[in-house]
Amino acid sequence: MKHCFLIILFLLSAKFLSAQEVNYFVSAQGNNNNTGLTTETPFASIEKVFSVLANDATAKTYTNIQINVAAGTYSCGVIRSELERAVKIKITGESAATTILQRTESGTRLFYFPEKKNDGLELIVQDLTIQNYGRTTNNYAGNVLLMNGLDLTVKVSFYHCVFKNITGCRGGIIQSSGKNNELVLEDCSVQDCSVFDYGGDQTNLEGLIHITGGDVGINNCTFENNKKDPFYNGTDRGLKKGMIITLRPTHGRIQAIIKNNTFKNNMILPDRETATSILPLISAFDSFSPKSGNKICLTEENNTFENNIRENFENDVNFYIDPEDLCSEDDDQILIRNDEGWPTVFELNKGEEFILERGGISRTIKLISFEEFYQPNYSLGDILEKAKVIVSIDGEEHTLWCRPYELPKEINGIKLYVEATYNWGHNCTYQHLNDIKRDVRFSAVLSGETWGPQLAVFPIKNYRFHSSSYNNTWNQLVPYNSLYYHRGDDFGSIPDRLDVVAIYDGYMSTIGDGTESNPFYITYQGNVKNRISHMNLYSCDPSLTLGQNVTAGQFIGKTGSTYNGNDKAQKRDPHLHISFEWGATQLSTYPTMIEAYFNTYDDDLLAIAGGYRYAKSGETIELDGNRSVARNGRNISSYSWRLHDGTVVNNMTANVRYEKAGLYSEELTVVADNGSIDKNYLQVIVGTADNQTNNTSGYLHYYPSREINPGTRVSFWSRLNTSTSINFGDGSPIESISDLASITHVYSQPGLYTVCLSGTGPNNEPATIQLRLVVESGSPTTETLSIEHKTTGSMDAEITAVLGNTDISTVSTLKITGTAGLNLADCHVIRDRF
């Protein structure tokens, strides 16, 4: 029997309160010494709620906050969220007619969000009047809302609000500069406000609402009795700048929707009759010289202009647009990103070409054609398998493939990669790539460059590639799920065992709080954000802070199983998720992960069978080992497929026919020129001929992932939803194992083993999952862990205090002393090492 001892490997260090929605109440009759949590104990100000959210330990766990503001008039100064976490806050008044915010003596602005501490904030303000902010004697911008942090992702929405008697310059009411920011005004009224020109050159920011990057939607609003004096300093500086709205893409592309608004009785008043500038109510143009290169994607419909007065400006228009600055189907949006240290990202329609200029090298790339191939999924219908993309590079044609586990192709001094096709990005029910506008999106670097900054570190320590059958890569359909093509890479792992580390030097831009998938974000060079998800909060480094610098290889947490705020939710598919985000653009992680893997580990090659495939019974499919990869300096000398029926095909490709629905595993073996060997397994999910449901699904996981020696105790998790047997591949007896169970095994000799989990599904369909396991030469290190159990409560804190963040993979024996209320079933433990 393998179950000789009991070992506890990792425990929950404390009981973490799940973040939840919380309601705060504010009343003019309230008191800031109250709790603010009931209508009977309201706070007296909104500022108090933000202070509590930033400083109170319990309130810091909340990420969905409702602030209910009773009828009344409130003196409100500057609100800076500084909450250091992604948070959604909704401020709701009784009605705009009865709930009024106005400035205090000490403050000119209302909401001020410039710092990184506000990253991830979503603010909704509704049913309020906001009045009397700003002054006519200073150059403060954004007196109701200022979002000028260029690295932030902030979304602010105003619904059913009244802006009244707001005065200022350079975006007198609202200024938004971040390329990732989003602003929404719906059913709002802007009345009796004014904007003036404080001074400076022609790049100064006039207008009541001034947008220089990001998204903006202004719909069903009324702008009435507002004024602008464009010549405050006596110089003609108002050329083409909108009195009400100015869209000026200085800091990034602007996506703007302006629909169903009314502009009535607004006045532009010059101080001299000879002025001839164009002074529109709304302008959309790039005023920089030379132009910034950003565009304005504008939807403007059903706006009404009534009795707007411009003294001595006969050549004025209501809406000034420079057509050269607007997005169009044939504009220069071919180039998506070109940040230093990262691949150039561009997209092409069939017949279009792009000149890649990088590091002194120029290549003309033209999309000749593309063809998409589909495969049958038993529950989703036809899904994408691959796309064949033909390009010419400086006039010479080449074929590229878009499919899971495909790497960039090196051609004529560049490495070229197909990120996705339009259909791959859009035809899905989850994780759309909505910013893909053309037929095919590409990325490219020069032949000698890395795929991202140099010296990438693999994000999991002591990990062997595909040591779990649960893996998802870029563009791969996530199995047993909705129509979800994965955006990033998933690495399966038994929870709480392996260290997760930073891939590059960067800074912490989001700290997980245990909600959702407990995402942490590290921002790297070029403002690329690395999302790291599904770690369990209790395993993460508690000393990490927002804005803190981290170095490549620095500990962040351990692989986990958190989903929807539940650290036990991924009992079948525990894994680490890695993705790269550039604002609205996501970048394939797979080329970077392969580079990082070979930087971190000394493997000579990786067999890549292709992940998952789908077929119908009676169908023949082709298996292809061409995506296998060898370390630089090594070459693959041979390929071999061992099929599920025992047939061996000594070739890179093989054809296999499936007579019966089921879950199949096809083994690929590759050999390098120095004799190194690796194996990988294609999981084939076969439905019935009429594509009915295959009822068998699941995964196989093991730990440790690498550094297994003769005598090392290896734990296996079966997550196959049927009773199965497990063959460890070393000639030892086959053992039985049920779904959601675990078993351990010790290998006596070094070698490359195939572990096979097999069973029969409820419709008598075959089910097989295989993994390779490497046993290295050497002896395992073994340790005895002794813990004294003192209390009658949970053992979690006691054992965690002993373990800390130490690697406990070498622990072979656990000794527990003390008998006070010992109940292992109540502990957050993993008891499957023995």
Side-chain angles (χ1 to χ4, degrees):
M1 291 294 293
K2 298 292 187 293
H3 304 278
C4 303
F5 303 94
L6 172 67
I7 182 167
I8 302 177
L9 290 180
F10 212 88
L11 297 129
L12 182 63
S13 61
K15 302 296 183 184
F16 285 86
L17 179 65
S18 294
Q20 55 187 303
E21 180 173 339
V22 62
N23 278 274
Y24 286 102
F25 298 89
V26 175
S27 170
Q29 287 74 46
N31 189 310
N32 284 340
N33 292 323
N34 288 338
T35 65
L37 295 174
T38 69
T39 54
E40 290 76 25
T41 60
F43 289 137
S45 66
I46 298 174
E47 298 103 307
K48 176 63 177 179
V49 181
F50 279 83
S51 176
V52 169
L53 292 172
N55 298 299
D56 180 82
T58 299
K60 284 182 177 182
T61 67
Y62 299 138
T63 57
N64 196 344
I65 297 101
Q66 171 73 52
I67 304 175
N68 304 284
V69 186
T73 299
Y74 300 84
S75 294
C76 191
V78 179
I79 294 175
R80 303 170 64 146
S81 73
E82 299 186 354
L83 301 182
E84 300 186 276
R85 62 188 186 276
V87 62
K88 180 178 180 179
I89 301 174
K90 182 184 289 186
I91 303 174
T92 303
E94 184 175 284
S95 72
T98 61
T99 313
I100 299 170
L101 301 185
Q102 59 187 19
R103 77 171 184 87
T104 62
E105 286 295 323
S106 59
T108 57
R109 292 190 180 104
L110 179 54
F111 298 109
Y112 180 38
F113 303 141
E115 294 95 348
K116 292 177 181 178
K117 293 179 179 180
N118 300 301
D119 193 34
L121 171 68
E122 180 178 357
L123 176 66
I124 298 171
V125 183
Q126 58 188 22
D127 299 309
L128 292 172
T129 287
I130 301 169
Q131 65 183 27
N132 301 340
Y133 282 86
R135 295 174 181 160
T136 59
T137 56
N138 62 33
N139 64 348
Y140 272 28
N143 287 302
V144 169
L145 173 65
L146 177 61
M147 297 190 292
N148 66 349
L150 300 182
D151 294 332
L152 302 184
T153 299
V154 176
K155 177 179 179 179
V156 181
S157 303
F158 294 95
Y159 300 106
H160 315 292
C161 288
V162 173
F163 302 89
K164 189 174 182 179
N165 193 31
I166 312 295
T167 301
C169 71
R170 301 192 304 122
I173 296 178
I174 295 171
Q175 180 183 328
S176 179
S177 302
K179 59 187 176 183
N180 300 324
N181 289 342
E182 183 175 345
L183 171 69
V184 174
L185 277 78
E186 294 272 4
D187 299 306
C188 291
S189 174
V190 179
Q191 58 192 48
D192 301 316
C193 298
S194 62
V195 64
F196 59 88
D197 176 4
Y198 185 75
D201 60 21
Q202 287 198 17
T203 64
N204 209 3
L205 312 180
E206 294 96 344
L208 291 177
I209 299 173
H210 198 109
I211 310 297
T212 60
D215 296 352
V216 57
I218 302 176
N219 303 304
N220 302 309
C221 295
T222 299
F223 297 84
E224 188 170 5
N225 297 327
N226 302 293
K227 292 187 292 187
K228 177 176 181 178
D229 181 354
F231 307 120
Y232 187 79
N233 277 6
T235 56
D236 188 354
R237 294 178 47 259
L239 181 65
K240 300 179 182 177
K241 295 179 181 178
M243 168 191 173
I244 305 295
I245 302 168
T246 296
L247 305 176
R248 185 167 168 267
T250 310
H251 298 112
R253 177 173 292 259
I254 295 175
Q255 301 277 348
I257 299 175
I258 303 175
K259 296 172 63 175
N260 304 319
N261 302 290
T262 298
F263 301 86
K264 185 177 181 180
N265 297 330
N266 300 289
M267 303 177 69
I268 298 178
L269 303 173
D271 69 349
R272 63 184 185 187
E273 295 181 358
T274 57
T276 58
S277 297
I278 299 173
L279 285 167
L281 295 178
I282 305 169
S283 68
F285 77 115
D286 185 346
S287 63
F288 266 60
S289 181
K291 292 181 179 291
S292 68
N294 298 314
K295 291 287 186 176
I296 303 167
C297 302
L298 176 64
T299 300
E300 185 267 320
E301 297 176 0
N302 301 323
N303 294 294
T304 302
F305 300 88
E306 299 178 7
N307 198 34
N308 297 291
I309 300 171
R310 301 168 181 83
E311 290 189 0
N312 303 315
F313 286 83
E314 296 178 357
N315 61 340
D316 274 341
V317 292
N318 292 313
F319 211 137
Y320 176 81
I321 301 174
D322 189 337
E324 292 185 359
D325 299 326
L326 295 185
C327 300
S328 65
E329 292 184 359
D330 58 352
D331 68 9
D332 63 350
Q333 183 58 5
I334 285 175
L335 177 62
I336 307 301
R337 299 296 298 250
N338 195 25
D339 294 78
E340 183 179 354
W342 292 89
T344 300
V345 180
F346 61 97
E347 56 187 45
L348 295 169
N349 284 323
K350 182 178 177 180
E352 287 184 328
E353 63 182 34
F354 170 72
I355 300 176
L356 174 68
E357 294 182 336
R358 195 174 169 103
I361 291 178
S362 177
R363 297 287 183 268
T364 299
I365 302 168
K366 183 177 182 179
L367 176 59
I368 304 298
S369 66
F370 70 99
E371 181 181 6
E372 294 171 324
F373 299 86
Y374 291 81
Q375 55 187 328
N377 180 279
Y378 62 86
S379 62
L380 302 173
D382 289 342
I383 61 168
L384 281 159
E385 176 198 346
K386 59 186 177 182
K388 182 180 181 180
V389 179
I390 298 178
V391 299
S392 70
I393 301 177
D394 288 348
E396 182 177 328
E397 288 195 6
H398 300 272
T399 298
L400 305 174
W401 290 95
C402 177
R403 56 180 175 170
Y405 296 107
E406 190 76 19
L407 283 170
K409 187 171 183 178
E410 190 160 358
I411 307 168
N412 191 19
I414 65 173
K415 289 186 282 189
L416 186 61
Y417 182 71
V418 181
E419 294 274 338
T421 64
Y422 181 91
N423 285 332
W424 222 313
H426 288 263
N427 294 349
C428 51
T429 57
Y430 181 62
Q431 285 288 295
H432 298 80
L433 299 177
N434 285 326
D435 65 326
I436 294 182
K437 306 299 183 184
R438 281 173 159 76
D439 291 337
V440 180
R441 174 169 288 183
F442 300 87
S443 52
V445 301
L446 302 185
S447 291
E449 292 183 309
T450 54
W451 206 265
Q454 294 184 353
L455 302 177
V457 174
F458 195 74
I460 309 177
K461 293 183 68 174
N462 296 322
Y463 191 77
R464 191 174 294 280
F465 207 76
H466 288 178
S467 55
S468 163
S469 70
Y470 186 84
N471 294 276
N472 292 303
T473 192
W474 181 260
N475 283 335
Q476 177 178 284
L477 182 81
V478 178
Y480 319 119
N481 208 309
S482 60
L483 187 54
Y484 167 26
Y485 298 114
H486 196 254
R487 312 306 181 190
D489 273 270
D490 286 344
F491 301 105
S493 174
I494 294 176
D496 303 326
R497 305 301 182 88
L498 298 172
D499 288 357
V500 176
V501 300
I503 300 170
Y504 302 109
D505 294 347
Y507 70 87
M508 299 302 306
S509 48
T510 299
I511 304 293
D513 62 0
T515 60
E516 196 209 349
S517 299
N518 193 33
F520 283 63
Y521 280 86
I522 304 176
T523 297
Y524 298 134
Q525 174 184 338
N527 201 34
V528 175
K529 293 187 176 183
N530 173 204
R531 179 185 173 104
I532 309 171
S533 299
H534 304 301
M535 297 179 294
N536 298 327
L537 184 60
Y538 56 80
S539 79
C540 298
D541 183 353
S543 69
L544 293 172
T545 59
L546 201 65
Q548 172 187 340
N549 290 330
V550 295
T551 57
Q554 182 172 332
F555 175 78
I556 306 299
K558 289 186 179 287
T559 54
S561 50
T562 293
Y563 178 69
N564 278 347
N566 181 355
D567 59 21
K568 302 177 184 64
Q570 291 178 331
K571 61 183 179 182
R572 291 193 174 277
D573 58 347
H575 63 276
L576 180 74
H577 170 91
I578 295 290
S579 56
F580 291 145
E581 302 174 11
W582 289 350
T585 300
Q586 294 195 63
L587 176 71
S588 174
T589 47
Y590 183 66
T592 303
M593 292 299 96
I594 293 300
E595 287 188 357
Y597 190 83
F598 284 122
N599 288 343
T600 306
Y601 302 114
D602 59 4
D603 305 43
D604 285 316
L605 77 167
L606 290 174
I608 303 296
Y612 301 92
R613 282 288 304 275
Y614 300 85
K616 292 180 181 179
S617 55
E619 182 181 6
T620 298
I621 67 171
E622 183 184 63
L623 314 182
D624 185 0
N626 188 46
R627 285 161 286 183
S628 301
V629 57
R631 172 185 295 280
N632 285 340
R634 297 262 67 89
N635 293 298
I636 296 175
S637 58
S638 70
Y639 301 81
S640 178
W641 287 94
R642 178 180 292 276
L643 307 182
H644 66 277
D645 61 1
T647 302
V648 175
V649 179
N650 294 315
N651 196 16
M652 181 190 297
T653 61
N655 292 322
V656 57
R657 177 182 173 89
Y658 299 94
E659 301 295 346
K660 186 176 181 179
L663 185 61
Y664 296 88
S665 178
E666 311 294 358
E667 180 182 83
L668 170 67
T669 300
V670 295
V671 181
D673 51 8
N674 66 347
S676 296
I677 304 173
D678 195 30
K679 296 184 178 185
N680 190 229
Y681 306 86
L682 179 70
Q683 200 73 52
V684 185
I685 303 170
V686 180
T688 60
D690 58 354
N691 223 21
Q692 294 300 303
T693 299
N694 173 0
N695 290 292
T696 307
S697 62
Y699 310 100
L700 173 63
H701 316 271
Y702 69 78
Y703 174 85
S705 178
R706 66 167 57 233
E707 298 184 354
I708 301 172
N709 306 107
T712 298
R713 195 169 294 275
V714 183
S715 173
F716 296 88
W717 278 20
S718 171
R719 296 301 183 260
L720 187 61
N721 65 347
T722 184
S723 295
T724 55
S725 63
I726 185 166
N727 185 338
F728 299 108
D730 60 351
S732 61
I734 295 173
E735 298 199 27
S736 297
I737 184 171
S738 58
D739 185 23
L740 297 178
S742 61
I743 195 170
T744 60
H745 184 71
V746 174
Y747 291 85
S748 60
Q749 298 294 327
L752 177 64
Y753 298 97
T754 295
V755 182
C756 180
L757 190 68
S758 60
T760 302
N763 292 334
N764 201 35
E765 70 270 26
T768 301
I769 300 174
Q770 297 183 105
L771 288 175
R772 64 93 164 83
L773 184 146
V774 179
V775 179
E776 300 170 314
S777 58
S779 301
T781 303
T782 61
E783 297 176 4
T784 298
L785 178 65
S786 297
I787 295 175
E788 182 180 1
H789 178 46
K790 300 178 181 179
T791 71
T792 58
S794 169
M795 294 176 61
D796 291 356
E798 292 179 32
I799 297 183
T800 302
V802 173
L803 299 180
N805 287 325
T806 13
D807 179 7
I808 55 172
S809 61
T810 58
V811 174
S812 60
T813 306
L814 174 68
K815 292 182 179 179
I816 301 177
T817 59
T819 58
L822 176 59
N823 186 354
L824 295 180
D826 293 336
C827 298
H828 183 93
V829 294
I830 303 168
R831 298 179 294 272
D832 53 21
R833 278 287 299 276
F834 295 90

